[in-house]
Amino acid sequence: MSFKNSYMSKQILVTGGTGYIGSHTVVELQNSGFDVVIVDNLSNSKIEVLDNIEKITGIRPGFEKFDLADAKLTNDFFQKYKDIEAAIHFAAFKAVGESVQEPLMYYQNNLNSLMNILSGMKTHGVKNLVFSSSCTVYGQPDKLPVTEDTPRKEAESPYGNTKAVSEDIMRDFAKVNDEHNLIALRYFNPIGAHESALIGELPVGVPNNLVPFITQTAAGVRGELSIFGDDYNTPDGTAIRDFINVVDLAKAHVVAINRLLNGKNKKNYEYFNVGTGEGVSVMQLVKVFIEVTGVNLKYKIVGRREGDIEKIWADTSYGNAELGWKAEKTIKQTILSAWNWEKRLRGIK
Ligand code: UD1
């Protein structure tokens, strides 16, 4: 370790750090004393996020704007930032429907960026990586809840497949690069926003995901929420998900980074479920929203959305025990944080 590193805080690369989960993770890393450099091409996020991260933490993270799917630019970055000790790779396209229409765009972006980062890490001696994977790799599981040993299923969409293939790339890379240590975190459904309401999810156009659609409807931006299907084999007929608070999720990344930096990992490629362990139905979530906000949310039941699975939630026991982390926020706190964020965006008192 250089003299410089012995007194400076450890530097972490966060790709996609101005995005939804990335920005919350940057805040938690800075709160834990890490020095953060963000790389983001701003294709789905705004530069103003840096101001809000600074307002929350008092520290402005480093920032470089370029596309990680460009191998040369990625290599140049690692050449320039010689003190990076670990990377967290969030930067990726994530719209399931769009990925069906534009499969090449998804494979090119999501896979090239990961390979360029691994290649840059190998060339420049950066040993540790935490990657954003998804419970989408389990498809509709035969048995619930899903453990890390639940078999993966063939992906329903090119987006989902980029997550499965990314995990395979990490596994294969780790096999022949003993000195590198990689963790994939399989997120369930991240929702909510920072309690300051200064950062949160910023969907472009009409939101695909449930909670931004709910909060926009409540704010009067959308006329009515459509609930996709009430004929599933679930207690109230609507689909079930494991909704994880985005700040809890961000903290799981800090824990994963510390695990790697402190050499506590058991293998050099590990993967963990990151969820709450509780299944909540779409209708239950809508009811919680109405209860905690007092807003009379307009909704109607429509047909199922193509490609949706019926139900999934995590068995978190392995991840909780190994990482020493668990989700702490209640669904009510989380929903309220999402609403406070939407209200601030729209100037609602
Ligand atoms: C999807 C992806 C997941 C990805 C996540 C975030 C799959 C199978 N899932 O999760 O990998 O990480 O998006 O991009 O690829 N719903 C409504 N009305 C709406 C919107 C949603 O009823 O207006 C319902 C959906 O039908 C679903 C639930 O709410 O049952 C959650 O949907 P959504 O927030 O889009 O997340 P997923 O599809 O679970």
Side-chain angles (χ1 to χ4, degrees), residues 94-96 133-137 139 156-157 159-160 163 187-191 201 207-214 225-229 232 238-241 243 282 302 304-305 307-310 312:
K94 60 170 187 177
V96 177
S133 190
S134 167
C135 69
T136 192
V137 300
E156 294 272 351
S157 68
Y159 157 78
K163 294 298 178 193
Y187 315 153
F188 283 68
N189 285 55
I191 63 167
E201 192 167 4
N208 291 309
N209 296 118
L210 179 61
V211 169
F213 206 103
I214 290 177
L225 167 74
S226 293
I227 293 181
F228 299 134
Y232 286 110
T238 64
I240 293 178
R241 298 289 184 272
F243 297 99
V282 172
V302 300
R304 295 181 181 190
R305 183 171 71 177
D308 271 346
I309 59 162
E310 182 168 270
I312 190 164

Side-chain angles (χ1 to χ4, degrees), residues 197-349:
L198 287 166
I199 53 172
E201 192 167 4
L202 261 182
V204 176
V206 182
N208 291 309
N209 296 118
L210 179 61
V211 169
F213 206 103
I214 290 177
T215 55
Q216 287 195 8
T217 305
V221 181
R222 312 275 154 215
E224 193 173 24
L225 167 74
S226 293
I227 293 181
F228 299 134
D230 69 347
D231 56 353
Y232 286 110
N233 182 23
T234 60
D236 65 20
T238 64
I240 293 178
R241 298 289 184 272
D242 182 335
F243 297 99
I244 164 95
N245 180 287
V246 69
V247 175
D248 281 339
L249 175 59
K251 288 177 179 167
H253 291 79
V254 178
V255 166
I257 283 290
N258 279 322
R259 179 177 177 89
L260 295 179
L261 292 178
N262 297 328
K264 298 276 191 238
N265 49 313
K266 296 214 167 120
K267 288 175 278 181
N268 76 328
Y269 170 55
E270 298 181 308
Y271 45 93
F272 300 102
N273 286 343
V274 187
T276 67
E278 293 216 9
V280 172
S281 78
V282 172
M283 186 59 88
Q284 279 176 314
L285 195 83
V286 166
K287 288 191 173 149
V288 169
F289 182 87
I290 293 168
E291 185 195 330
V292 299
T293 64
V295 177
N296 185 19
L297 184 78
K298 270 187 80 183
Y299 64 86
K300 62 173 180 220
I301 310 284
V302 300
R304 295 181 181 190
R305 183 171 71 177
E306 203 184 307
D308 271 346
I309 59 162
E310 182 168 270
K311 52 190 165 194
I312 190 164
W313 64 94
D315 181 325
T316 58
S317 43
Y318 175 70
N320 290 168
E322 278 297 317
L323 296 172
W325 164 94
K326 70 177 178 42
E328 280 167 0
K329 300 265 202 269
T330 65
I331 191 86
K332 288 185 179 174
Q333 290 172 316
T334 303
I335 287 291
L336 204 53
S337 71
W339 178 230
N340 287 338
W341 158 246
E342 189 74 52
K343 282 202 297 187
R344 193 185 72 80
L345 277 185
R346 310 287 167 195
I348 300 170
K349 291 280 166 235

